[in-house]
Amino acid sequence: MKATPTVLGVVTEPAPPGWWKANRHKFFGIAGLLTGYWIGTHLHGAPDQRPPGPRPAHSAPASTAPGADHGTHPALDRSAG
């Protein structure tokens, strides 16, 4: 005699996901992009408390006066006696 097959379970198709479950990855992606754009355009570093100072003196034009001392300081000049 042959044994009759027994039913172990019934396979059913699950219900389709709701709108939130199907689209939450899109929502969070767009929200993240908008938040990043807002942070990048609205939050800046602290402004400088004072304006930048003058440039160093070496950027001034060289003296063209005849007999002008060109870069040697009298106290440092070893050739002067």
Side-chain angles (χ1 to χ4, degrees):
M1 232 188 324
K2 206 171 193 189
T4 60
T6 57
V7 177
L8 297 176
V10 178
V11 177
T12 59
E13 189 174 328
W19 182 90
W20 175 249
K21 192 168 187 178
N23 295 306
R24 63 185 172 190
H25 64 283
K26 296 175 188 175
F27 173 82
F28 284 120
I30 292 171
L33 288 172
L34 290 174
T35 302
Y37 175 78
W38 183 82
I39 288 172
T41 58
H42 290 85
L43 297 180
H44 302 289
D48 291 337
Q49 297 299 321
R50 56 187 181 132
R55 301 289 299 169
H58 70 270
S59 63
S63 174
T64 58
D69 189 28
H70 294 288
T72 59
H73 191 274
L76 299 176
D77 190 8
R78 295 179 188 217
S79 64

